[in-house]
Amino acid sequence: MTRLSVNINKIATLRNARGGSVPNVLEAALNCEKFGAEGITVHPRPDERHIRYQDVRDIRPRLNTEFNIEGNPFSEQKGKYPGFLQLIKSYQPDQCTLVPDASSQLTSDHGWDLLGDNSRLTSLIKTIKTYGSRVSLFMDPSEEGISKAKEVGADRIELYTGPYAEAVKHQKDIKDLIKQYSKADKYAHNLGLGVNAGHDLNLS
């Protein structure tokens, strides 16, 4: 069964650009639920350029659907941002999606490269699970990478759909991409992993 979780980062970006509290991020999250979304996704970054730490505090107790917090698990405390692990410990989202973004990176543009030493990531995943959150890893549709995601202890993967979104935007043939994502989805399910998919998806 396909379920929709709405990422509300861009609403926060607009609010921050305008100053004040319009549009209201909490109101937007609740409206997404009201109109049928089955989850809310936020990606608070240390520089708070869109979702702020306070947004997480405001949203968490008001949601009736799944709450998904994305972020780099290695992000440390900065200003009002408490550090990723402390954020997860404090607000215990239903799902925690780990992304390999550098702090200077504008947006997510690739999945985890798990072909090296993953001991630190494995340890962090174990810690996050003690907080009661399910762990999903942001991944490219590579069977080798997906196998590694299983090895490090992920419960799910999120397939990075940026290439698909770009192909649709520029009206390119997407048949091969669909096959690639479908194959990755089946491979992950056969390993016992749940599968999410996202990035730049819209009504197109």
Side-chain angles (χ1 to χ4, degrees), residues 98-137:
L98 309 185
V99 298
D101 293 358
S103 59
S104 59
Q105 197 169 323
L106 180 62
T107 187
S108 305
D109 62 8
H110 63 279
W112 286 93
D113 178 359
L114 301 177
L115 302 184
D117 180 8
N118 299 314
S119 56
R120 187 180 177 201
L121 180 61
T122 301
S123 178
L124 286 171
I125 289 173
K126 288 181 180 178
T127 298
I128 290 170
K129 287 186 175 184
T130 67
Y131 302 152
S133 297
R134 180 176 66 241
V135 175
S136 178
L137 289 185

Side-chain angles (χ1 to χ4, degrees), residues 26 51 82 101 109 120 126 131 151 155 161 167 189 200 203:
L26 173 60
I51 291 293
D101 293 358
D109 62 8
R120 187 180 177 201
K126 288 181 180 178
Y131 302 152
E151 289 179 15
D155 302 298
T161 55
H189 279 298
D200 286 343
L203 291 178

